[in-house]
Amino acid sequence: MKVIKFLFITDLDNTLVGNRQATDALLHKLLLIREQIYVIYATGRSIHSASDLKTDQGLLEPDYWVTGVGSEIYHRGQQDQTWAARLSIDWNRAAIADLLRAYDELLPQPAAEQNPWKISYFLKPTADPTILTRIENQLADFGAKLIFSSGQDVDILPRSGDKGLAITYLREHLAMPPEKTVVCGDSGNDISLFQQGTLGIIVGNARAELLDWYSRYGTPQQYVANAPYAWGILEGLQHFGFL
Ligand code: GLC
Ligand code: MG
């Protein structure tokens, strides 16, 4: 039987990817222990866009993909249908899209970034961000949640979906304990990753929305790295004694 040392979960953009040398240095270390770890990529990108990024950057093949901010899960090219069914409960995509059409402040993202369990917009630069609280309150009645990232990305997902809930589902499936699980991220859509009772690494280049969350709710289980991008992941994995 394969003995797994830890479950490694990372965001892609501006966390694993963003500094070429750092990505390579981390991948080199991970490749040496690839048989002893599980790897999950948890990204806001669609599976197509994330796979292209993996090819472009020469990333290692993960065991699972959590894509579209946790709206979809893929394993060996197959979409997880149990997850899809779970997210479909009480989720009325068309009704929400109708409701949000009234907001001039929201600009729909390209079709490739939309999926049956994710409606994505850009908040217009001129818009007042407090509008998001109003939208969030309205969405609660629709079994939906709003996730704001990087000062511009607005994702609407079913209540039962986000990166954090998706990785807990997979962690339980893999029977990995939280203390042998580490999540890494840099922005707002990663906050849910840090709310799952696992270890966490916030990279040195993290965005204000994640650092604000950490200043309010952070615990010693989360490590804020000094170094940016994958250098920060390396620093954190060393801090937790995984490397
Ligand atoms: C990625 C996705 C986009 C999403 C953003 C933040 O950029 O492509 O749809 O809004 O992540 O989650
Ligand atoms: Mg990111």
Side-chain angles (χ1 to χ4, degrees):
M1 209 184 94
K2 189 159 123 161
V3 178
I4 299 295
K5 268 170 72 176
F6 67 100
L7 165 57
F8 175 69
I9 300 167
T10 186
D11 169 49
L12 297 177
D13 293 278
N14 299 314
T15 302
L16 178 62
V17 169
N19 178 302
R20 182 72 262 170
Q21 271 183 310
T23 305
D24 286 346
L26 176 66
L27 290 177
H28 176 74
K29 294 259 188 212
L30 293 179
L31 269 175
L32 298 174
I33 54 167
R34 182 66 187 93
E35 290 307 304
Q36 300 156 48
I37 60 175
Y38 286 130
V39 176
I40 300 176
Y41 293 151
T43 175
R45 292 180 182 237
S46 68
I47 186 68
H48 306 290
S49 154
S51 305
D52 287 350
L53 183 70
K54 185 202 140 220
T55 308
D56 289 351
Q57 298 281 321
L59 305 180
L60 50 83
E61 179 69 25
D63 297 290
Y64 291 86
W65 294 91
V66 167
T67 59
V69 203
S71 57
E72 298 186 314
I73 294 176
Y74 290 86
H75 177 57
R76 297 196 179 136
Q78 298 294 314
Q79 187 167 4
D80 186 320
Q81 296 303 330
T82 308
W83 188 249
R86 188 183 288 191
L87 265 56
S88 301
I89 297 169
D90 294 335
W91 164 249
N92 188 339
R93 191 187 197 287
I96 296 167
D98 272 353
L99 173 83
L100 296 182
R101 215 159 279 140
Y103 289 90
D104 282 344
E105 295 86 349
L106 298 177
L107 192 70
Q109 288 189 16
E113 294 307 329
Q114 316 287 345
N115 76 40
W117 306 274
K118 172 178 181 271
I119 316 175
S120 293
Y121 302 89
F122 296 118
L123 182 70
K124 290 189 184 161
T126 50
D128 173 2
T130 57
I131 189 89
L132 298 177
T133 314
R134 227 175 87 198
I135 298 175
E136 214 169 359
N137 293 337
Q138 276 187 294
L139 286 173
D141 299 336
F142 286 80
K145 66 171 74 163
L146 183 151
I147 300 168
F148 188 49
S149 307
S150 312
Q152 61 156 26
D153 300 325
V154 179
D155 300 311
I156 316 296
L157 264 71
R159 185 189 288 140
S160 46
D162 58 37
K163 286 189 183 185
L165 295 171
I167 65 105
T168 291
Y169 166 80
L170 292 173
R171 184 182 62 69
E172 288 172 354
H173 174 71
L174 294 168
M176 288 299 292
E179 62 276 12
K180 285 190 180 174
T181 301
V182 60
V183 302
C184 312
D186 75 293
S187 82
N189 73 7
D190 301 314
I191 292 173
S192 64
L193 288 177
F194 294 100
Q195 294 173 319
Q196 306 301 315
T198 69
L199 301 173
I201 300 167
I202 295 175
V203 289
N205 55 297
R207 307 281 312 205
E209 69 258 5
L210 177 56
L211 293 172
D212 285 350
W213 174 85
Y214 176 79
S215 68
R216 272 188 256 177
Y217 308 107
T219 70
Q221 285 175 301
Q222 285 116 22
Y223 177 77
V224 183
N226 292 306
Y229 305 102
W231 295 126
I233 301 179
L234 267 171
E235 185 188 318
L237 289 176
Q238 273 152 6
H239 167 83
F240 289 124
F242 285 128
L243 288 181

PDB file of all heavy atoms in Angstrom, residues 30-57:
ATOM      1  N   LEU A  30       8.811  18.682  -5.430  1.00  0.00           N
ATOM      2  CA  LEU A  30       7.602  17.847  -5.360  1.00  0.00           C
ATOM      3  C   LEU A  30       7.761  16.569  -6.184  1.00  0.00           C
ATOM      4  O   LEU A  30       7.265  15.515  -5.805  1.00  0.00           O
ATOM      5  CB  LEU A  30       6.371  18.631  -5.816  1.00  0.00           C
ATOM      6  CG  LEU A  30       5.947  19.798  -4.917  1.00  0.00           C
ATOM      7  CD1 LEU A  30       4.733  20.503  -5.502  1.00  0.00           C
ATOM      8  CD2 LEU A  30       5.654  19.341  -3.482  1.00  0.00           C
ATOM      9  N   LEU A  31       8.475  16.702  -7.312  1.00  0.00           N
ATOM     10  CA  LEU A  31       8.677  15.520  -8.165  1.00  0.00           C
ATOM     11  C   LEU A  31       9.432  14.417  -7.429  1.00  0.00           C
ATOM     12  O   LEU A  31       9.165  13.231  -7.628  1.00  0.00           O
ATOM     13  CB  LEU A  31       9.424  15.911  -9.436  1.00  0.00           C
ATOM     14  CG  LEU A  31       8.533  16.300 -10.610  1.00  0.00           C
ATOM     15  CD1 LEU A  31       9.380  16.793 -11.787  1.00  0.00           C
ATOM     16  CD2 LEU A  31       7.644  15.128 -11.055  1.00  0.00           C
ATOM     17  N   LEU A  32      10.355  14.833  -6.565  1.00  0.00           N
ATOM     18  CA  LEU A  32      11.145  13.848  -5.809  1.00  0.00           C
ATOM     19  C   LEU A  32      10.282  13.020  -4.866  1.00  0.00           C
ATOM     20  O   LEU A  32      10.632  11.892  -4.532  1.00  0.00           O
ATOM     21  CB  LEU A  32      12.242  14.552  -4.993  1.00  0.00           C
ATOM     22  CG  LEU A  32      13.296  15.335  -5.776  1.00  0.00           C
ATOM     23  CD1 LEU A  32      14.224  16.091  -4.826  1.00  0.00           C
ATOM     24  CD2 LEU A  32      14.118  14.384  -6.646  1.00  0.00           C
ATOM     25  N   ILE A  33       9.148  13.601  -4.437  1.00  0.00           N
ATOM     26  CA  ILE A  33       8.277  12.893  -3.481  1.00  0.00           C
ATOM     27  C   ILE A  33       6.883  12.652  -4.077  1.00  0.00           C
ATOM     28  O   ILE A  33       5.921  12.409  -3.357  1.00  0.00           O
ATOM     29  CB  ILE A  33       8.158  13.683  -2.152  1.00  0.00           C
ATOM     30  CG1 ILE A  33       7.708  15.131  -2.413  1.00  0.00           C
ATOM     31  CG2 ILE A  33       9.465  13.646  -1.364  1.00  0.00           C
ATOM     32  CD1 ILE A  33       7.268  15.866  -1.143  1.00  0.00           C
ATOM     33  N   ARG A  34       6.794  12.716  -5.414  1.00  0.00           N
ATOM     34  CA  ARG A  34       5.474  12.648  -6.069  1.00  0.00           C
ATOM     35  C   ARG A  34       4.659  11.431  -5.636  1.00  0.00           C
ATOM     36  O   ARG A  34       3.441  11.502  -5.490  1.00  0.00           O
ATOM     37  CB  ARG A  34       5.633  12.659  -7.600  1.00  0.00           C
ATOM     38  CG  ARG A  34       4.309  12.651  -8.350  1.00  0.00           C
ATOM     39  CD  ARG A  34       3.531  13.931  -8.104  1.00  0.00           C
ATOM     40  NE  ARG A  34       2.188  13.936  -8.662  1.00  0.00           N
ATOM     41  CZ  ARG A  34       1.092  13.579  -7.990  1.00  0.00           C
ATOM     42  NH1 ARG A  34       1.179  13.162  -6.738  1.00  0.00           N
ATOM     43  NH2 ARG A  34      -0.102  13.657  -8.559  1.00  0.00           N
ATOM     44  N   GLU A  35       5.321  10.296  -5.423  1.00  0.00           N
ATOM     45  CA  GLU A  35       4.599   9.065  -5.059  1.00  0.00           C
ATOM     46  C   GLU A  35       4.085   9.100  -3.621  1.00  0.00           C
ATOM     47  O   GLU A  35       3.263   8.269  -3.243  1.00  0.00           O
ATOM     48  CB  GLU A  35       5.516   7.844  -5.246  1.00  0.00           C
ATOM     49  CG  GLU A  35       5.816   7.533  -6.707  1.00  0.00           C
ATOM     50  CD  GLU A  35       4.561   7.393  -7.554  1.00  0.00           C
ATOM     51  OE1 GLU A  35       3.712   6.558  -7.196  1.00  0.00           O
ATOM     52  OE2 GLU A  35       4.419   8.131  -8.554  1.00  0.00           O
ATOM     53  N   GLN A  36       4.590  10.055  -2.836  1.00  0.00           N
ATOM     54  CA  GLN A  36       4.213  10.099  -1.414  1.00  0.00           C
ATOM     55  C   GLN A  36       3.211  11.204  -1.099  1.00  0.00           C
ATOM     56  O   GLN A  36       2.912  11.477   0.063  1.00  0.00           O
ATOM     57  CB  GLN A  36       5.457  10.315  -0.545  1.00  0.00           C
ATOM     58  CG  GLN A  36       6.497   9.228  -0.698  1.00  0.00           C
ATOM     59  CD  GLN A  36       7.877   9.739  -0.311  1.00  0.00           C
ATOM     60  OE1 GLN A  36       8.052  10.357   0.729  1.00  0.00           O
ATOM     61  NE2 GLN A  36       8.851   9.494  -1.161  1.00  0.00           N
ATOM     62  N   ILE A  37       2.750  11.896  -2.121  1.00  0.00           N
ATOM     63  CA  ILE A  37       1.794  12.985  -1.872  1.00  0.00           C
ATOM     64  C   ILE A  37       0.599  12.874  -2.829  1.00  0.00           C
ATOM     65  O   ILE A  37       0.705  12.265  -3.900  1.00  0.00           O
ATOM     66  CB  ILE A  37       2.442  14.391  -2.027  1.00  0.00           C
ATOM     67  CG1 ILE A  37       3.005  14.598  -3.446  1.00  0.00           C
ATOM     68  CG2 ILE A  37       3.534  14.600  -0.990  1.00  0.00           C
ATOM     69  CD1 ILE A  37       3.547  16.009  -3.700  1.00  0.00           C
ATOM     70  N   TYR A  38      -0.512  13.446  -2.407  1.00  0.00           N
ATOM     71  CA  TYR A  38      -1.623  13.692  -3.323  1.00  0.00           C
ATOM     72  C   TYR A  38      -1.552  15.166  -3.711  1.00  0.00           C
ATOM     73  O   TYR A  38      -1.203  16.008  -2.866  1.00  0.00           O
ATOM     74  CB  TYR A  38      -2.968  13.459  -2.645  1.00  0.00           C
ATOM     75  CG  TYR A  38      -3.344  12.022  -2.403  1.00  0.00           C
ATOM     76  CD1 TYR A  38      -3.780  11.628  -1.140  1.00  0.00           C
ATOM     77  CD2 TYR A  38      -3.330  11.086  -3.435  1.00  0.00           C
ATOM     78  CE1 TYR A  38      -4.165  10.319  -0.895  1.00  0.00           C
ATOM     79  CE2 TYR A  38      -3.717   9.771  -3.196  1.00  0.00           C
ATOM     80  CZ  TYR A  38      -4.135   9.389  -1.938  1.00  0.00           C
ATOM     81  OH  TYR A  38      -4.516   8.104  -1.705  1.00  0.00           O
ATOM     82  N   VAL A  39      -1.887  15.463  -4.951  1.00  0.00           N
ATOM     83  CA  VAL A  39      -1.844  16.844  -5.437  1.00  0.00           C
ATOM     84  C   VAL A  39      -3.211  17.233  -5.994  1.00  0.00           C
ATOM     85  O   VAL A  39      -3.792  16.499  -6.803  1.00  0.00           O
ATOM     86  CB  VAL A  39      -0.773  17.013  -6.542  1.00  0.00           C
ATOM     87  CG1 VAL A  39      -0.798  18.426  -7.115  1.00  0.00           C
ATOM     88  CG2 VAL A  39       0.622  16.678  -6.011  1.00  0.00           C
ATOM     89  N   ILE A  40      -3.718  18.371  -5.534  1.00  0.00           N
ATOM     90  CA  ILE A  40      -4.969  18.917  -6.078  1.00  0.00           C
ATOM     91  C   ILE A  40      -4.721  20.363  -6.488  1.00  0.00           C
ATOM     92  O   ILE A  40      -4.174  21.144  -5.705  1.00  0.00           O
ATOM     93  CB  ILE A  40      -6.110  18.882  -5.032  1.00  0.00           C
ATOM     94  CG1 ILE A  40      -6.394  17.442  -4.574  1.00  0.00           C
ATOM     95  CG2 ILE A  40      -7.380  19.524  -5.594  1.00  0.00           C
ATOM     96  CD1 ILE A  40      -7.454  17.342  -3.465  1.00  0.00           C
ATOM     97  N   TYR A  41      -5.107  20.716  -7.704  1.00  0.00           N
ATOM     98  CA  TYR A  41      -5.090  22.116  -8.118  1.00  0.00           C
ATOM     99  C   TYR A  41      -6.493  22.678  -7.912  1.00  0.00           C
ATOM    100  O   TYR A  41      -7.479  22.086  -8.381  1.00  0.00           O
ATOM    101  CB  TYR A  41      -4.708  22.256  -9.597  1.00  0.00           C
ATOM    102  CG  TYR A  41      -3.274  21.862  -9.904  1.00  0.00           C
ATOM    103  CD1 TYR A  41      -2.926  21.356 -11.147  1.00  0.00           C
ATOM    104  CD2 TYR A  41      -2.264  22.001  -8.944  1.00  0.00           C
ATOM    105  CE1 TYR A  41      -1.612  20.994 -11.439  1.00  0.00           C
ATOM    106  CE2 TYR A  41      -0.949  21.645  -9.226  1.00  0.00           C
ATOM    107  CZ  TYR A  41      -0.630  21.135 -10.475  1.00  0.00           C
ATOM    108  OH  TYR A  41       0.669  20.784 -10.759  1.00  0.00           O
ATOM    109  N   ALA A  42      -6.575  23.802  -7.215  1.00  0.00           N
ATOM    110  CA  ALA A  42      -7.866  24.446  -6.954  1.00  0.00           C
ATOM    111  C   ALA A  42      -7.824  25.840  -7.559  1.00  0.00           C
ATOM    112  O   ALA A  42      -7.133  26.724  -7.050  1.00  0.00           O
ATOM    113  CB  ALA A  42      -8.116  24.514  -5.453  1.00  0.00           C
ATOM    114  N   THR A  43      -8.532  26.020  -8.651  1.00  0.00           N
ATOM    115  CA  THR A  43      -8.401  27.257  -9.443  1.00  0.00           C
ATOM    116  C   THR A  43      -9.753  27.868  -9.808  1.00  0.00           C
ATOM    117  O   THR A  43     -10.774  27.172  -9.812  1.00  0.00           O
ATOM    118  CB  THR A  43      -7.593  26.943 -10.737  1.00  0.00           C
ATOM    119  OG1 THR A  43      -7.557  28.103 -11.570  1.00  0.00           O
ATOM    120  CG2 THR A  43      -8.231  25.808 -11.536  1.00  0.00           C
ATOM    121  N   GLY A  44      -9.719  29.156 -10.136  1.00  0.00           N
ATOM    122  CA  GLY A  44     -10.916  29.819 -10.636  1.00  0.00           C
ATOM    123  C   GLY A  44     -11.137  29.534 -12.113  1.00  0.00           C
ATOM    124  O   GLY A  44     -12.237  29.679 -12.640  1.00  0.00           O
ATOM    125  N   ARG A  45     -10.087  29.098 -12.789  1.00  0.00           N
ATOM    126  CA  ARG A  45     -10.173  28.841 -14.232  1.00  0.00           C
ATOM    127  C   ARG A  45     -11.072  27.657 -14.557  1.00  0.00           C
ATOM    128  O   ARG A  45     -11.260  26.770 -13.729  1.00  0.00           O
ATOM    129  CB  ARG A  45      -8.783  28.510 -14.786  1.00  0.00           C
ATOM    130  CG  ARG A  45      -7.817  29.664 -14.775  1.00  0.00           C
ATOM    131  CD  ARG A  45      -6.509  29.179 -15.347  1.00  0.00           C
ATOM    132  NE  ARG A  45      -5.496  30.226 -15.324  1.00  0.00           N
ATOM    133  CZ  ARG A  45      -4.841  30.653 -16.410  1.00  0.00           C
ATOM    134  NH1 ARG A  45      -5.071  30.118 -17.588  1.00  0.00           N
ATOM    135  NH2 ARG A  45      -3.928  31.599 -16.302  1.00  0.00           N
ATOM    136  N   SER A  46     -11.520  27.614 -15.802  1.00  0.00           N
ATOM    137  CA  SER A  46     -12.245  26.445 -16.306  1.00  0.00           C
ATOM    138  C   SER A  46     -11.240  25.304 -16.472  1.00  0.00           C
ATOM    139  O   SER A  46     -10.018  25.545 -16.509  1.00  0.00           O
ATOM    140  CB  SER A  46     -12.861  26.767 -17.666  1.00  0.00           C
ATOM    141  OG  SER A  46     -11.811  26.938 -18.610  1.00  0.00           O
ATOM    142  N   ILE A  47     -11.723  24.080 -16.616  1.00  0.00           N
ATOM    143  CA  ILE A  47     -10.827  22.936 -16.795  1.00  0.00           C
ATOM    144  C   ILE A  47      -9.977  23.104 -18.067  1.00  0.00           C
ATOM    145  O   ILE A  47      -8.792  22.762 -18.079  1.00  0.00           O
ATOM    146  CB  ILE A  47     -11.595  21.585 -16.790  1.00  0.00           C
ATOM    147  CG1 ILE A  47     -10.626  20.399 -16.835  1.00  0.00           C
ATOM    148  CG2 ILE A  47     -12.611  21.501 -17.913  1.00  0.00           C
ATOM    149  CD1 ILE A  47      -9.783  20.172 -15.630  1.00  0.00           C
ATOM    150  N   HIS A  48     -10.555  23.696 -19.111  1.00  0.00           N
ATOM    151  CA  HIS A  48      -9.808  23.847 -20.366  1.00  0.00           C
ATOM    152  C   HIS A  48      -8.660  24.835 -20.188  1.00  0.00           C
ATOM    153  O   HIS A  48      -7.518  24.568 -20.554  1.00  0.00           O
ATOM    154  CB  HIS A  48     -10.731  24.317 -21.489  1.00  0.00           C
ATOM    155  CG  HIS A  48     -11.921  23.433 -21.634  1.00  0.00           C
ATOM    156  ND1 HIS A  48     -11.814  22.156 -22.126  1.00  0.00           N
ATOM    157  CD2 HIS A  48     -13.223  23.610 -21.295  1.00  0.00           C
ATOM    158  CE1 HIS A  48     -13.012  21.582 -22.100  1.00  0.00           C
ATOM    159  NE2 HIS A  48     -13.878  22.456 -21.593  1.00  0.00           N
ATOM    160  N   SER A  49      -8.989  25.964 -19.593  1.00  0.00           N
ATOM    161  CA  SER A  49      -7.982  26.994 -19.397  1.00  0.00           C
ATOM    162  C   SER A  49      -6.916  26.535 -18.401  1.00  0.00           C
ATOM    163  O   SER A  49      -5.722  26.788 -18.586  1.00  0.00           O
ATOM    164  CB  SER A  49      -8.706  28.270 -18.968  1.00  0.00           C
ATOM    165  OG  SER A  49      -7.895  29.092 -18.218  1.00  0.00           O
ATOM    166  N   ALA A  50      -7.333  25.805 -17.364  1.00  0.00           N
ATOM    167  CA  ALA A  50      -6.370  25.308 -16.378  1.00  0.00           C
ATOM    168  C   ALA A  50      -5.450  24.248 -17.003  1.00  0.00           C
ATOM    169  O   ALA A  50      -4.248  24.227 -16.734  1.00  0.00           O
ATOM    170  CB  ALA A  50      -7.101  24.742 -15.168  1.00  0.00           C
ATOM    171  N   SER A  51      -6.013  23.392 -17.848  1.00  0.00           N
ATOM    172  CA  SER A  51      -5.187  22.372 -18.505  1.00  0.00           C
ATOM    173  C   SER A  51      -4.172  23.012 -19.447  1.00  0.00           C
ATOM    174  O   SER A  51      -3.020  22.567 -19.527  1.00  0.00           O
ATOM    175  CB  SER A  51      -6.047  21.404 -19.323  1.00  0.00           C
ATOM    176  OG  SER A  51      -7.038  20.848 -18.514  1.00  0.00           O
ATOM    177  N   ASP A  52      -4.609  24.077 -20.149  1.00  0.00           N
ATOM    178  CA  ASP A  52      -3.673  24.791 -21.029  1.00  0.00           C
ATOM    179  C   ASP A  52      -2.530  25.392 -20.213  1.00  0.00           C
ATOM    180  O   ASP A  52      -1.366  25.339 -20.622  1.00  0.00           O
ATOM    181  CB  ASP A  52      -4.396  25.929 -21.783  1.00  0.00           C
ATOM    182  CG  ASP A  52      -5.316  25.391 -22.872  1.00  0.00           C
ATOM    183  OD1 ASP A  52      -5.243  24.174 -23.162  1.00  0.00           O
ATOM    184  OD2 ASP A  52      -6.115  26.183 -23.414  1.00  0.00           O
ATOM    185  N   LEU A  53      -2.879  25.945 -19.061  1.00  0.00           N
ATOM    186  CA  LEU A  53      -1.854  26.546 -18.197  1.00  0.00           C
ATOM    187  C   LEU A  53      -0.867  25.473 -17.738  1.00  0.00           C
ATOM    188  O   LEU A  53       0.341  25.682 -17.708  1.00  0.00           O
ATOM    189  CB  LEU A  53      -2.514  27.211 -16.984  1.00  0.00           C
ATOM    190  CG  LEU A  53      -1.567  27.950 -16.033  1.00  0.00           C
ATOM    191  CD1 LEU A  53      -1.017  29.226 -16.680  1.00  0.00           C
ATOM    192  CD2 LEU A  53      -2.254  28.296 -14.714  1.00  0.00           C
ATOM    193  N   LYS A  54      -1.396  24.306 -17.397  1.00  0.00           N
ATOM    194  CA  LYS A  54      -0.549  23.198 -16.944  1.00  0.00           C
ATOM    195  C   LYS A  54       0.462  22.832 -18.036  1.00  0.00           C
ATOM    196  O   LYS A  54       1.644  22.651 -17.778  1.00  0.00           O
ATOM    197  CB  LYS A  54      -1.420  21.978 -16.599  1.00  0.00           C
ATOM    198  CG  LYS A  54      -0.627  20.846 -16.021  1.00  0.00           C
ATOM    199  CD  LYS A  54      -1.344  19.508 -16.183  1.00  0.00           C
ATOM    200  CE  LYS A  54      -0.323  18.473 -16.544  1.00  0.00           C
ATOM    201  NZ  LYS A  54      -0.692  17.515 -17.518  1.00  0.00           N
ATOM    202  N   THR A  55      -0.029  22.753 -19.279  1.00  0.00           N
ATOM    203  CA  THR A  55       0.857  22.413 -20.398  1.00  0.00           C
ATOM    204  C   THR A  55       1.894  23.513 -20.620  1.00  0.00           C
ATOM    205  O   THR A  55       3.093  23.234 -20.691  1.00  0.00           O
ATOM    206  CB  THR A  55       0.017  22.209 -21.675  1.00  0.00           C
ATOM    207  OG1 THR A  55      -1.024  21.278 -21.366  1.00  0.00           O
ATOM    208  CG2 THR A  55       0.847  21.685 -22.821  1.00  0.00           C
ATOM    209  N   ASP A  56       1.420  24.767 -20.696  1.00  0.00           N
ATOM    210  CA  ASP A  56       2.332  25.902 -20.931  1.00  0.00           C
ATOM    211  C   ASP A  56       3.434  25.960 -19.889  1.00  0.00           C
ATOM    212  O   ASP A  56       4.578  26.276 -20.197  1.00  0.00           O
ATOM    213  CB  ASP A  56       1.580  27.241 -20.820  1.00  0.00           C
ATOM    214  CG  ASP A  56       0.651  27.472 -21.980  1.00  0.00           C
ATOM    215  OD1 ASP A  56       0.713  26.693 -22.953  1.00  0.00           O
ATOM    216  OD2 ASP A  56      -0.153  28.428 -21.907  1.00  0.00           O
ATOM    217  N   GLN A  57       3.060  25.726 -18.637  1.00  0.00           N
ATOM    218  CA  GLN A  57       4.001  25.919 -17.532  1.00  0.00           C
ATOM    219  C   GLN A  57       4.729  24.631 -17.152  1.00  0.00           C
ATOM    220  O   GLN A  57       5.542  24.640 -16.235  1.00  0.00           O
ATOM    221  CB  GLN A  57       3.244  26.426 -16.297  1.00  0.00           C
ATOM    222  CG  GLN A  57       2.559  27.769 -16.502  1.00  0.00           C
ATOM    223  CD  GLN A  57       3.544  28.923 -16.400  1.00  0.00           C
ATOM    224  OE1 GLN A  57       4.437  28.914 -15.573  1.00  0.00           O
ATOM    225  NE2 GLN A  57       3.386  29.913 -17.261  1.00  0.00           N
TER     226      GLN A  57
END
